[in-house]
Amino acid sequence: MLIGMAARKKTSDDPLAPVTLAVGQEELLIDRAVRSVIEAARAADADTDVRDLASGELQPGTLAELTSPSLFAERKVVVVRAAQDLAAETVKDVKAYLSAPVEEITLVLVHPGGAKGKGLLDAARKAGAREVECPKMTKPADRLAFVRGEFRTLGRSATPEACQALVDAIGSDLRELASACTQLTADVEGTIDEAVVGRYYTGRAEASSFTVADRAVEGRAAEALETLRWAVSTGVAPVLITSALAQGVRAIGKLAGAPRGARPGDLARELGMPPWKIDRVRQQMRGWTPDGVAAALRAVAEADAAVKGAGSDPEYALEKAVVTIAGAARSR
């Protein structure tokens, strides 16, 4: 039986819609979008036939063959990867199918969303296809939202500070972030907090160095010292920590001297910081004074000299700098 898509109620959350578009370039999200369709189909019919095809495997006539009515009315999922690369004749086949999809068959088109192959993308949207957005997450705020969503999906509670620490430690790889959320959920009971994330992940040099700096400029001396000791014990070079401290204090000084009311984008260009960092530094700098910035910079310079050979105890020099910076921040 043929059913026109326009006759169906468009439900964006129905994985068994006749056609699903997975649009974007984030591989993890694409894989999840495809998997959700397959899982829903197999939940409805355990014998669902899945055909996962590269664009080159879908030749003219192949789609008609795959979607031809069966005597056994079997459920089928047909996944077409890199739909933007389909040959012109095959695109005609797909567009024709969009106007009259076959019941019990779900077509999944994976498309990066760019200009190439846009005609097919537009045709599917016009026909009422269900669309799942799978964009690359280039902004730290997006990755932070992703981590929060992962913990919610896993049914666990994580503090905002823990989510931020995980993003800082892992970086931009969504697969690694998702894996970390799963690991923490499996290993830790109760609410997942920043200390837990620190025990698992702040052994990464860059992340732990900047975490020390963030906590210091926020006036959180105890947490900064705890993170500092953890970083040193896991082999982070002291010079990386003084560098992070210097960057943290300088960022506050730069932003404090910037014109009031300027937009984040304009400030980012002027100060050489990404917009997300402008927002973070604005939160960190409240209450800082010019004298406090000057004192903190002196403390960092002394620590830097100590860890480079001018002092006998680099760890003590770092702790002293952290206490001084946090003290300047606490004046707020």
Side-chain angles (χ1 to χ4, degrees), residues 169-192:
I170 300 296
S172 60
D173 191 312
L174 285 201
R175 290 188 188 278
E176 284 197 33
L177 285 170
S179 176
C181 292
T182 301
Q183 180 183 15
L184 289 169
T185 299
D187 292 355
V188 179
E189 295 183 359
T191 299
I192 295 164

Side-chain angles (χ1 to χ4, degrees), residues 122-309:
D122 291 342
R125 286 169 170 160
K126 186 176 181 181
R130 166 182 178 258
E131 185 168 345
V132 181
E133 295 182 1
C134 307
K136 273 286 185 185
M137 294 191 180
T138 57
K139 297 179 179 179
D142 293 338
R143 294 193 288 274
L144 182 59
F146 172 80
V147 168
R148 289 171 176 163
E150 286 294 290
F151 282 123
R152 281 196 300 271
T153 299
L154 292 166
R156 294 297 299 278
S157 176
T159 66
E161 293 79 11
C163 294
Q164 183 65 62
L166 196 57
V167 171
D168 290 343
I170 300 296
S172 60
D173 191 312
L174 285 201
R175 290 188 188 278
E176 284 197 33
L177 285 170
S179 176
C181 292
T182 301
Q183 180 183 15
L184 289 169
T185 299
D187 292 355
V188 179
E189 295 183 359
T191 299
I192 295 164
D193 59 20
E194 188 176 11
V196 168
V197 174
R199 287 199 297 273
Y200 274 75
Y201 296 104
T202 54
R204 300 188 181 211
E206 183 179 9
S208 55
S209 298
F210 284 105
T211 300
V212 173
D214 283 340
R215 299 301 165 264
V217 300
E218 290 163 2
R220 297 156 66 176
E223 293 173 51
L225 287 170
E226 181 182 358
T227 307
L228 170 63
R229 288 161 187 158
W230 175 266
V232 171
S233 71
T234 55
V236 177
V239 69
L240 291 178
I241 299 173
T242 56
S243 175
L245 290 170
Q247 288 185 50
V249 176
R250 285 178 190 144
I252 287 173
K254 284 182 180 180
L255 197 55
R260 291 184 178 275
R263 294 180 299 179
D266 295 335
L267 286 174
R269 286 188 293 273
E270 182 179 340
L271 302 180
M273 300 181 196
W276 65 266
K277 189 169 184 179
I278 296 291
D279 293 335
R280 175 181 288 186
V281 175
R282 271 180 170 161
Q283 294 176 356
Q284 294 174 333
M285 66 179 283
R286 292 170 186 160
W288 273 85
T289 64
D291 287 344
V293 171
L297 287 173
R298 284 195 298 272
V300 172
E302 291 171 3
D304 189 54
V307 302
K308 290 178 179 176

Side-chain angles (χ1 to χ4, degrees), residues 22-25 84 110-118 121 125 131:
V23 183
Q25 300 178 48
Q84 77 280 4
V110 179
H111 192 292
K116 187 178 182 182
K118 190 171 183 297
L121 194 60
R125 286 169 170 160
E131 185 168 345

